[in-house]
């Protein structure tokens, strides 16, 4: 049992709690009505498989949802990302994706990532980076599918 009141440890615990909460009660884990594009990606390393569906108008994602199974990192990232993606345009999502990648590589998280900042701890576990990136890959795949002629 730790007797330290270290702020860093407290923050890590808070983030851990956030991740587990999304894992247990994922948001937007459903079949999306009126989807214009879907995409499935797999991470054989830990058995994650996720399908993201988007409903788009022009360059804007009106709504996004996911289905599939996987580890807590993949599921929590997907849950947070679907919330973040709604009502955003593609350019904004690409720049957030870059900010998320930078965070995984040790850059301090930017506030515009919202709840996804809770994944900052994954930076220390390179083997799990793929889990955290999986929902992003599925989202961008779904966006590309939606925009394809
Ligand atoms: Zn995983």
């Amino acid at each position: 049992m730790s007797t330290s009141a270290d702020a860093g440890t407290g923050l890590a615990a808070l983030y851990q709690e956030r991740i587990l909460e999304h894992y247990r009660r994922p948001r937007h884990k459903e079949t999306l009505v009126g989807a214009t594009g879907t995409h499935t990606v797999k991470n054989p390393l830990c058995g994650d498989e996720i399908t993201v569906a988007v409903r788009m108008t022009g360059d804007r994602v009106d709504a996004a949802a996911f289905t599939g199974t996987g580890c807590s990192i993949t599921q929590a990232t997907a849950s947070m990302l679907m919330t973040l993606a709604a009502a955003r345009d593609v350019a904004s999502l690409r720049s957030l994706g870059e900010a998320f990648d930078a965070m995984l590589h040790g850059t301090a998280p930017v506030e515009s990532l919202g709840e996804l900042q809770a994944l900052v701890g994954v930076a220390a576990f390179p083997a799990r980076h793929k889990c955290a990136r999986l929902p992003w890959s599925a989202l961008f795949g779904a966006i590309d599918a939606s925009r394809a002629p």
Side-chain angles (χ1 to χ4, degrees):
M1 179 120 189
S2 172
T3 52
S4 166
D6 174 53
T9 306
L11 193 62
L14 180 72
Y15 281 161
Q16 185 67 22
E17 190 52 43
R18 261 283 171 56
I19 290 167
L20 288 175
E21 210 274 318
H22 274 269
Y23 177 54
R24 292 186 192 114
R25 293 196 310 116
R27 275 63 138 182
H28 307 288
K29 188 173 184 179
E30 63 208 3
T31 302
L32 186 65
V33 176
T36 54
T38 64
H39 190 72
T40 301
V41 288
K42 295 175 187 180
N43 174 16
L45 287 178
C46 83
D48 307 324
E49 177 172 340
I50 180 170
T51 299
V52 168
V54 292
R55 189 169 64 233
M56 295 186 70
T57 304
D59 267 353
R60 194 188 66 215
V61 173
D62 292 325
F66 78 104
T67 54
T69 53
C71 67
S72 58
I73 300 295
T74 293
Q75 295 283 306
T77 303
S79 174
M80 294 171 181
L81 180 58
M82 297 305 104
T83 304
L84 187 80
R88 273 183 202 273
D89 65 29
V90 177
S92 148
L93 285 169
R94 295 236 183 255
S95 100
L96 286 169
E98 283 165 19
F100 187 78
D101 281 352
M103 182 179 82
L104 289 184
H105 289 97
T107 304
V110 295
E111 206 164 311
S112 50
L113 282 171
E115 285 200 282
L116 285 162
Q117 294 172 82
L119 275 301
V120 67
V122 179
F125 304 95
R128 308 306 297 280
H129 287 185
K130 197 162 185 185
C131 304
R133 299 204 68 261
L134 209 66
W136 288 92
S137 303
L139 173 65
F140 289 126
I143 287 170
D144 288 345
S146 178
R147 299 164 104 201

